[in-house]
Amino acid sequence: MNEFRIHKQKTPYDSVASFILLATIFLAPFFFIPSKLIDVATAKSYLLVWGITSAFIFFLIGRLVEGKFSLSKKVLPVLLIVLSVLTIISSLAGGHTSKSLFGISYEVGGAVSLVLMIITAFLVAEYASTKTEISRLLLYFLIGSGVTSIFQLVLLIVGPQALHLYPFVSKGVTLIGSGYDFIYFQGFSVILSVFLLEFLTTKIYHKILIGIILTASSLFVFFSGFKEIWMLVGAVCFLYFVYSLIVIWPKQKEKRTFPFVSFIIVVVSLFFIFGSTSFGSKVNTFFDISSSSVRPSFATTLETALPALAERPLLGSGPLSFSSSWQMWKPASVRTSTFWNTDFHYGFGTLSTSMIETGLIATVLWIALFVAFFFSLYTMAFRSEEHMSKSHLPLFLFVASMFLFASIIFFVVGTLVVFLAFILLGIVIGMRRRSLKEVYHVSLLKDPRTSILGVLSLSFILLLSLGSLFVSFKKATAFALFQKGQTSTTNQARYMA
């Protein structure tokens, strides 16, 4: 537990909260439940619900014990809070409250799922705001990612039949979820590995470990057949390479180190982008991991959004209600195509889906959030000499955030990719609030009026969090029993046939 703690220890409850947060981030890439009843994506959703909610409960207890808490003056946390409240209101006003709040298993797009991601950002900001804490968090996550890559390679080499481990019944089943999410996740691991090797890591055993993880992740990225990922990874590593030559080399007066790692990744990326497509397709057939997805086009999503927003412009139809809007407002061209009877649950991308589900106000908030986020990164990178000269973290945060948030805007992604994006968002908030001038300190002990209101508010949120944790356990049990009943019915039907 002492391996990961906040910069200034406050209470023992904060130590427990930071440990749970780190454990959740470490376990998230490779966590699964070896059962036929719960798939990988569902298992990860429940891990995040249980882990983040538990960490938040201990954080709240710590604030009550300490008798004070702090609030950021910056606009980014305010936008997150307003967005979460608006999404909950949209869920309550949409007509299918339970589905909009919780979904089937806390999937991406639900109100509770978004609130959990925002809580994750705030917890990361609280417990990882210094270079040492951020580096340790990223390293632990990368180790978890390495376990994922190595397990997937073993699954491909020995075959799923040799492991006898559910839900891995074929080579195409991944520890991340969908094939697209897996490849995108491996691309992020490559970006993170190269950054740690080139800019942060100095210990030799760390470099060896990260090098092994980089090799495993690169295999999946380059043999996936997904050229968009090759180009993104190659572009990021080229930026690393140029940054090293322009910023770092002038400071290395005695012994200059050539950025071999980023240079090699760039060369390999160029080979797979412009090289033979037959070689990549053959290897991709062996890997058997599909990175394709069937979804409405941007134009089709926009045609569906216009009448849907005309009916409910401000709050939308409610989170996780795209399928209802699709059935009602899908374009005439789709009704005469082969997808006339296909029930899409998401549109072109996560953001465009959110525009229909939560309305124009939430869409404006999302856009404002992206603008404020990248402006904060710009401020840290180009206006703060301390951040630029000592850690180079703004460089990684900028390129990794572009990589992840581009997926949220232009693709439909799973829980883990969104979780990663909000971790980076939390790191940025934490680095921005390190200055005492950017934080309001609220004491629960000095003013009786503040004390009553603050204690009541924190106690209410604490009880609400405990209740949410209890509900999540009930939903997990109900989901497992439902899946068991479905499996039993299917087997009985096959037997009678």
Side-chain angles (χ1 to χ4, degrees), residues 161-234:
Q161 293 78 14
L163 295 179
H164 298 289
L165 192 62
Y166 287 101
F168 304 100
V169 294
S170 68
K171 291 192 297 184
V173 179
T174 75
L175 266 174
I176 303 301
S178 69
Y180 171 78
D181 283 343
F182 178 76
I183 298 302
Y184 219 97
F185 177 83
Q186 295 299 330
F188 178 82
S189 297
V190 171
I191 292 172
L192 176 56
S193 300
V194 175
F195 174 77
L196 291 176
L197 287 173
E198 297 277 32
F199 302 110
L200 289 186
T201 305
T202 56
K203 297 179 180 179
I204 185 64
Y205 63 90
H206 281 172
K207 289 190 175 184
I208 294 173
L209 177 63
I210 296 172
I212 294 173
I213 297 172
L214 173 62
T215 303
S217 298
S218 299
L219 286 175
F220 285 108
V221 172
F222 295 133
F223 295 148
S224 65
F226 195 12
K227 282 196 173 185
E228 287 83 354
I229 298 294
W230 299 347
M231 290 187 286
L232 285 172
V233 171

Side-chain angles (χ1 to χ4, degrees), residues 77-288:
V78 176
L79 288 173
L80 288 173
I81 294 173
V82 174
L83 183 61
S84 63
V85 172
L86 185 66
T87 305
I88 293 173
I89 294 174
S90 176
S91 301
L92 299 176
H96 24 72
T97 304
S98 179
K99 178 183 177 182
S100 294
L101 284 173
F102 303 101
I104 298 175
S105 56
Y106 299 96
E107 54 265 35
V108 172
V112 174
S113 175
L114 177 62
V115 171
L116 281 170
M117 297 301 172
I118 292 173
I119 290 174
T120 299
F122 283 123
L123 289 175
V124 171
E126 181 70 21
Y127 297 126
S129 60
T130 67
K131 175 186 174 182
T132 302
E133 292 164 351
I134 294 171
S135 301
R136 188 176 292 123
L137 183 148
L138 294 175
L139 181 60
Y140 273 69
F141 170 79
L142 188 62
I143 294 172
S145 172
V147 173
T148 302
S149 302
I150 293 171
F151 176 87
Q152 207 69 41
L153 284 174
V154 172
L155 182 67
L156 291 172
I157 294 171
V158 304
Q161 293 78 14
L163 295 179
H164 298 289
L165 192 62
Y166 287 101
F168 304 100
V169 294
S170 68
K171 291 192 297 184
V173 179
T174 75
L175 266 174
I176 303 301
S178 69
Y180 171 78
D181 283 343
F182 178 76
I183 298 302
Y184 219 97
F185 177 83
Q186 295 299 330
F188 178 82
S189 297
V190 171
I191 292 172
L192 176 56
S193 300
V194 175
F195 174 77
L196 291 176
L197 287 173
E198 297 277 32
F199 302 110
L200 289 186
T201 305
T202 56
K203 297 179 180 179
I204 185 64
Y205 63 90
H206 281 172
K207 289 190 175 184
I208 294 173
L209 177 63
I210 296 172
I212 294 173
I213 297 172
L214 173 62
T215 303
S217 298
S218 299
L219 286 175
F220 285 108
V221 172
F222 295 133
F223 295 148
S224 65
F226 195 12
K227 282 196 173 185
E228 287 83 354
I229 298 294
W230 299 347
M231 290 187 286
L232 285 172
V233 171
V236 169
C237 290
F238 179 73
L239 182 61
Y240 285 162
F241 178 75
V242 174
Y243 181 87
S244 298
L245 297 182
I246 295 177
V247 177
I248 296 180
W249 266 35
K251 298 178 182 179
Q252 297 175 339
K253 297 180 179 180
E254 296 181 359
K255 184 179 180 181
R256 292 181 175 178
T257 304
F258 187 80
F260 278 106
V261 179
S262 55
F263 179 75
I264 291 172
I265 297 296
V266 170
V267 172
V268 175
S269 298
L270 291 174
F271 170 77
F272 279 98
I273 292 171
F274 299 107
S276 173
T277 57
S278 60
F279 173 74
S281 61
K282 290 179 181 178
V283 178
N284 187 36
T285 303
F286 169 75
F287 275 57
D288 195 25

Side-chain angles (χ1 to χ4, degrees), residues 393-412:
L393 277 172
L395 170 68
F396 166 74
L397 291 172
F398 181 79
V399 296
S401 299
M402 290 289 289
F403 186 81
L404 291 175
F405 280 109
S407 70
I408 294 175
I409 295 173
F410 297 108
F411 299 95
V412 176

